[in-house]
Amino acid sequence: MDDTDAEILRVLREDGRISWSDLGAAVGLSANAAAERVRRLRRAGVITGFVALVDPAAGGRTVEALVGVTLSMATDSDTFAAAAARLEPVSEVLHLTGAPDYQLRVSCRDTAELDMLLRKLRNRLGAADTETTIILRSGPARG
């Protein structure tokens, strides 16, 4: 990685859909050279993929929260993580050191859906305890 690669990554974090010609112009390269650099960064594993950032509130999910989850002794960690990631309100699953075992970022339509999610985590997925923090606002997303 050199300074040009770092600048390419910065530009892509701001606009992952930028054209090759605009990317090249932003970093002082031709469109083909910029495209080749991005392909090289992908092959090297520096760029692992591209995503669409979605505003949960635009889809009716206006209650965002962080849910700390402590697993029961009988619950397999990997099984829990896979099952939690499949739940519609869950946008991120973080396995942590110390307590709690996991932190989930969730977006729910209302507090009733959040309550149902917490019950599901305990009754079906093996959470021994949960601690929920409602997100009042967050800063701009980083790429």
Side-chain angles (χ1 to χ4, degrees):
M1 283 249 323
D2 61 16
D3 290 342
T4 302
D5 289 338
E7 184 65 10
I8 286 171
L9 295 175
R10 186 195 65 73
V11 171
L12 288 175
R13 279 194 298 270
E14 289 178 10
D15 182 3
R17 294 181 49 109
I18 192 170
S19 70
W20 295 131
S21 103
D22 289 345
L23 177 61
V27 300
L29 297 173
S30 70
N32 287 339
E36 181 53 38
R37 289 239 187 180
V38 171
R39 284 190 284 277
R40 186 175 46 77
L41 290 166
R42 289 192 74 192
R43 280 192 306 270
V46 175
I47 296 175
T48 58
F50 296 90
V51 299
L53 299 176
V54 178
D55 179 1
R61 296 186 169 279
T62 58
V63 177
E64 288 191 282
L66 301 174
V67 180
V69 178
T70 301
L71 300 179
S72 68
M73 294 298 284
T75 302
D76 178 72
S77 178
D78 293 335
T79 301
F80 172 83
R86 286 191 299 271
L87 298 174
E88 186 178 350
V90 176
S91 60
E92 189 172 20
V93 177
L94 303 169
H95 191 197
L96 309 173
T97 61
D101 298 310
Y102 282 89
Q103 178 105 23
L104 309 179
R105 184 178 185 111
V106 304
S107 299
C108 298
R109 289 179 197 85
D110 51 32
T111 56
E113 185 180 34
L114 178 59
D115 182 49
M116 287 182 359
L117 173 65
L118 296 174
R119 290 171 189 258
K120 187 177 285 186
L121 292 172
R122 289 189 197 105
N123 297 333
R124 295 189 189 161
L125 273 62
D129 187 40
T130 61
E131 184 173 325
T132 303
T133 303
I134 301 290
I135 299 169
L136 298 176
R137 68 176 165 245
S138 60
R142 289 191 58 201

